[in-house]
């Protein structure tokens, strides 16, 4: 995998801030609450293994990932904590999880019976740790029917091929000021919880938004902390948060080329930008193939504490910005983060790109080198 180590563009990750975000959330929950750090999608672009290690140091109990490959990458790095795959794993691959002690999400009786048949047929002895997903209104995966859920629990408790480790649900509108839909999902979750005489070791219903805005309603012993751990607000800018979250990532580069552009000259593909006056123009070595979206054309970056407009179209690997005056090659350029008194936030980038901060962050790919501060 290309890591971009030899280019002056990097994503600087402040793992101390990440730890403080976790501790702030932990301090706001009952003392016996556990945190599963959600590190899917390369830890929302921040780097799977370094983030997982930092989260554990800060008091997380384990990890959530989206797919089994991500869980195995954590195991390969030596992390032996509870690691839950949140998506549905193909039945035929599930014994790999059992062997690695990785916990899987199951949302149907069908999956359980198929796995049980395989396990018997191929003599897979090692118990597979299961978290049952309850669909209370997200409509993605999970049991919607309490009786079927109870049947699944019976299967998990009866057969030695399984270990009933957890149950969880996921909210669709926890980041909304209107609580109507949340409350409907919550009432359903309570029905599932109350249907069991004995709960599994891990119960979880809270994502970041639930941990921020429905803290007092959490009837579970564990929360799944995703975006807020990275210091971002799951509602974008809609709702204020009270944990003083600190964004952990700074996307920076530096000027690779600088020139004076004469009035009337144009820049970049399509020649959509034309200089009105003679002006200084810098080239910055980052582009849409790094996950800096092409639709940031017309947005801005920070140079020496000043906003500088992106001039012309963002290219695949480079882009141009207009400088207020001459700056030499190697002058730092902040694409996301702080310079002097000014900042560019993931939320502002998301507004420009007409998306959400989650997508901006997860787009930054491995061609951008990650640098970690501890
Ligand atoms: C991704 C995901 C999370 C984390 O969501 P955040 O909003 O980032 O906290 C939690 N639970 C499930 C099931 C997920 O898929």
């Amino acid at each position: 995998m290309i890591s971009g180590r030899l280019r002056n563009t990097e994503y600087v990750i402040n793992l101390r801030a990440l730890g403080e975000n976790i501790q702030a959330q932990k301090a706001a929950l009952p003392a016996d609450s556990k945190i599963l750090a959600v590190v899917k999608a390369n830890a929302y672009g921040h780097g799977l293994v370094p983030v997982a290690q930092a989260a554990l140091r800060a008091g997380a109990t384990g990890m959530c990932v989206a797919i089994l490959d991500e869980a195995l990458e954590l195991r390969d790095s030596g992390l032996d904590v509870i690691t839950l795959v949140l998506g549905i794993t193909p039945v035929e691959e599930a014994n790999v999880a059992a062997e690695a002690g990785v916990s899987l999400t199951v949302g149907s009786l069908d999956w359980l019976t198929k796995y049980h048949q395989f396990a018997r047929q191929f003599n897979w002895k090692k118990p597979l740790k299961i978290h049952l997903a309850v669909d209370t209104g997200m409509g993605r995966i999970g049991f919607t029917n309490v009786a079927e859920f109870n049947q699944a629990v019976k299967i998990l408790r009866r057969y030695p091929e399984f270990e009933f480790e957890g149950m969880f649900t996921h909210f669709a509108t926890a980041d909304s000021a209107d609580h109507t839909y949340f409350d409907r999902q919550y009432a359903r979750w309570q029905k599932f919880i109350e249907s069991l005489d004995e709960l599994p070791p891990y119960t979880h219903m809270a994502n970041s938004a639930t941990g921020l805005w429905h803290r007092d309603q959490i009837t579970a012993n564990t929360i799944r902390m995703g975006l807020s751990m990275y210091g971002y607000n799951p509602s974008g800018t809609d709702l204020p948060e009270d944990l003083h979250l600190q964004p952990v990532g700074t996307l920076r580069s530096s000027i690779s080329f600088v020139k004076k552009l004469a009035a009337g000259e144009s820049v970049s593909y399509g020649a959509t930008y034309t200089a009105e006056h003679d002006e200084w123009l810098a080239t910055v070595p980052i582009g849409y193939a790094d996950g800096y979206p092409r639709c940031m054309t017309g947005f801005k970056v920070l140079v020496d504490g000043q906003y500088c407009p992106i001039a012309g179209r963002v290219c695949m690997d480079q882009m141009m910005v207009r400088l207020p005056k001459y700056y030499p090659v190697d002058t730092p350029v902040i694409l996301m983060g702080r310079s002097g008194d000014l900042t560019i936030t993931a939320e502002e980038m998301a507004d420009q790109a007409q998306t959400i901060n989650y997508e901006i962050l997860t787009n930054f790919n491995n061609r951008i080198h990650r640098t970690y501060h501890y």
Side-chain angles (χ1 to χ4, degrees), residues 218-266:
I218 297 176
T219 42
N221 62 17
T222 302
I223 90 161
R224 304 184 302 273
M225 193 176 181
L227 192 75
S228 61
M229 176 172 78
Y230 306 96
Y232 300 91
N233 183 324
S235 77
T237 50
D238 287 353
L239 300 178
E241 55 84 10
D242 63 357
L243 295 182
H244 305 291
L245 297 172
Q246 309 168 61
V248 307
T250 297
L251 183 62
R252 62 173 298 282
S253 186
S254 58
I255 295 174
S256 63
F257 192 89
V258 64
K259 65 175 170 294
K260 195 165 214 174
L261 194 70
E265 294 295 321
S266 295

Side-chain angles (χ1 to χ4, degrees), residues 149-169:
F149 170 78
N150 287 328
Q151 235 177 303
V153 170
K154 260 194 199 132
I155 292 173
L156 294 184
R157 290 196 162 134
R158 179 180 310 150
Y159 297 115
E161 288 84 359
F162 296 115
E163 178 184 332
F164 183 29
E165 186 179 56
M167 61 184 281
F168 72 98
T169 195

Side-chain angles (χ1 to χ4, degrees), residues 271-330:
T272 59
Y273 176 88
T274 303
E276 281 179 29
H277 316 280
D278 289 3
E279 60 193 37
W280 288 102
L281 205 83
T283 302
V284 185
I286 186 169
Y288 62 78
D290 297 297
Y292 188 85
R294 184 169 179 274
C295 56
M296 300 311 280
T297 299
F299 194 62
K300 63 198 175 186
V301 302
L302 282 162
V303 177
D304 193 22
Q306 306 153 87
Y307 291 124
C308 300
I310 296 172
R313 290 188 186 146
V314 172
C315 309
M316 191 184 292
D317 326 292
Q318 308 179 71
M319 63 189 200
M320 280 62 84
V321 302
R322 189 176 77 216
L323 300 173
K325 61 179 179 120
Y326 170 78
Y327 282 97
V329 162
D330 289 340

Side-chain angles (χ1 to χ4, degrees), residues 101-157:
V102 166
S103 313
L104 294 188
T105 291
V106 171
S108 68
L109 281 171
D110 196 42
W111 195 102
L112 281 185
T113 39
K114 274 198 186 125
Y115 179 81
H116 193 233
Q117 278 164 9
F118 268 105
R120 291 271 152 116
Q121 184 181 344
F122 297 111
N123 209 21
W124 297 338
K125 282 276 191 302
K126 200 159 175 203
L128 177 62
K129 297 175 189 170
I130 301 287
H131 290 230
L132 293 178
V134 175
D135 182 3
T136 53
M138 177 68 186
R140 196 164 61 181
I141 54 173
F143 291 88
T144 50
N145 178 291
V146 177
E148 269 180 37
F149 170 78
N150 287 328
Q151 235 177 303
V153 170
K154 260 194 199 132
I155 292 173
L156 294 184
R157 290 196 162 134

